[in-house]
Amino acid sequence: MLGCVIHGQGDLRVEELPVPEPAPGQALVAVRYGGVCGSDLHYWRHGGVGDFRLREPMLLGHEVVGTVVSYGAGARGPAPGAAVAVHPATPCGVCPECSGGRRNVCRDTRYLGSAARFPHVQGGFAGQVAVPAEQLRALPDGLGPRRAALAEPLSVALHAVRRAGDVTGRHVLVTGAGPIGCLVVAAARAAGAARVTVTDLLPRALEYASAVGAGTVVRADDPGDAGWPDEVDVAVEASGVAAGLGTCLRLVRRGGTVVQLGMLPPGQVPFAGNLVVSREIELRGAFRFDTEFDGALRLLAAEPAFDALISAVVPVRDAESAFTLAADRTRSCKVLLNFDA
Ligand SMILES: [Zn+2]
Ligand SMILES: [Zn+2]
């Protein structure tokens, strides 16, 4: 089987790998689709993501959908042949965060295809992967595996909106119309936001945002754009650049909430901190997700418009061109790798 392994900055290799054996408690999954995520691109282009650096070769990929092949000893789940999405996180279950209901910030979690711990947790961009059986979720009726590959990033978006508090009837600003920003738009609409405004530098990215429910789109580099709101109730920063955070802090109303979702550059990032003070802005982080995964699958099953965000499906043997395409936001939104033999 083929797998997509990152060896270091700029060194992505498609390799022939042995099929893993499911250990006790594990399921073996034949992967159909794997979504290329911003973090996969960061490992490829920069050798790390946020403050996590690559220290050994790692199978990439954590947005994985496939079919059940078999189970290891003592493991149960959807029947072999069933279509499943893989929840990428295995929190430890015993740390203070897990005990307190914040498993997404578990201090000892294992996340598919992540260099946050060492040895790194190998990912799911391979023909077959062995994962803990309790991480499998059967696809709901009406949801095919292709659209289901959006479940992980949509879960991230749902969690960010949850962190913003009740958005019912609110005007929500989203800075950044990459795949995550677009999914935040959809998540905010699903949560009852009255209006969603999105900013980005690229017209193509803003078209994707419109396709999933953005009422107003704004060119971030055009101060004269008629779409700029005077004020919003909630802002979600999904671009991962300091300028986006600046925009959110400047436009959110006094006492409003700003959620930082985009992973900012490593180290120190300057921002207008006094706005947080003088306007009593609630500045909150959002990281990954936990139980939102099941809600994401239901939302995907109900809403065909999500298909508009999948701009290409590329065979795994052409992984490097898939990554190049995914990194070029003038040409793509979400790019999927296909692992069918
Ligand atoms: Zn992802
Ligand atoms: Zn934990």
Side-chain angles (χ1 to χ4, degrees):
M1 67 174 198
L2 294 178
C4 185
V5 180
I6 188 76
H7 284 256
Q9 184 174 5
D11 187 3
L12 179 72
R13 303 183 201 169
V14 178
E15 299 176 358
E16 188 65 42
L17 300 171
V19 173
E21 277 287 322
Q26 286 189 324
L28 185 64
V29 175
V31 176
R32 292 258 336 250
Y33 297 109
V36 178
C37 183
S39 61
D40 299 314
L41 296 174
H42 275 288
Y43 286 122
W44 174 53
R45 296 207 290 189
H46 310 298
V49 55
D51 295 323
F52 310 146
R53 312 307 300 170
L54 267 179
R55 287 179 279 167
E56 61 175 344
M58 182 176 78
L59 259 178
L60 290 173
H62 56 267
E63 304 178 1
V64 177
V65 172
T67 52
V68 178
V69 177
S70 63
Y71 288 97
R76 330 162 41 123
V84 290
V86 180
H87 191 307
T90 313
C92 78
V94 296
C95 74
E97 290 73 29
C98 283
S99 309
R102 301 187 80 157
R103 305 197 314 164
N104 60 305
V105 290
C106 167
R107 58 187 65 190
D108 196 25
T109 196
R110 299 173 58 82
Y111 206 88
L112 285 185
S114 168
R117 57 189 292 158
F118 189 84
H120 302 335
V121 180
Q122 300 295 313
F125 282 172
Q128 298 191 41
V129 290
V131 295
E134 63 264 27
Q135 288 176 227
L136 301 188
R137 301 289 184 278
L139 300 192
D141 287 344
L143 179 60
R146 192 170 173 278
R147 196 190 306 154
L150 297 173
E152 193 270 352
L154 179 57
S155 302
V156 170
L158 290 169
H159 182 70
V161 171
R162 176 181 283 186
R163 290 283 290 149
D166 185 3
V167 299
T168 308
R170 304 289 184 169
H171 185 179
V172 177
L173 174 72
V174 181
T175 52
I180 290 286
C182 289
L183 291 165
V184 171
V185 172
R189 294 303 303 267
R195 191 173 159 205
V196 182
T197 297
V198 183
T199 70
D200 200 285
L201 295 169
L202 298 174
R204 185 80 191 99
L206 293 171
E207 286 172 24
Y208 287 116
S210 296
V212 288
T216 307
V217 296
V218 181
R219 283 287 293 270
D221 55 350
D222 180 3
D225 192 305
W228 282 111
D230 293 331
E231 193 169 85
V232 299
D233 301 304
V234 169
V236 179
E237 204 303 296
S239 71
V241 297
L245 177 55
T247 300
C248 292
L249 294 173
R250 196 162 42 78
L251 291 180
V252 78
R253 66 172 164 76
R254 286 162 193 266
T257 301
V258 172
V259 176
Q260 180 65 45
L261 172 61
M263 192 62 92
L264 292 160
Q268 306 281 315
V269 175
F271 71 103
N274 279 333
L275 291 177
V276 177
V277 179
S278 61
R279 299 185 185 176
E280 292 202 340
I281 293 168
E282 303 275 342
L283 178 57
R284 300 176 185 169
F287 187 62
R288 296 176 178 166
F289 57 89
D290 183 18
T291 56
E292 291 89 350
F293 200 73
D294 300 298
L297 289 170
R298 285 193 298 273
L299 194 53
L300 289 166
E303 185 48 82
F306 284 107
D307 289 338
L309 300 182
I310 299 172
S311 40
V313 179
V314 179
V316 61
R317 64 176 179 277
D318 299 325
E320 181 129 23
S321 67
F323 275 53
T324 302
L325 178 62
D328 182 356
R329 296 199 306 121
T330 66
R331 293 192 293 143
S332 71
C333 187
K334 179 58 75 176
V335 175
L336 306 184
L337 289 173
N338 178 221
F339 295 85
D340 291 352

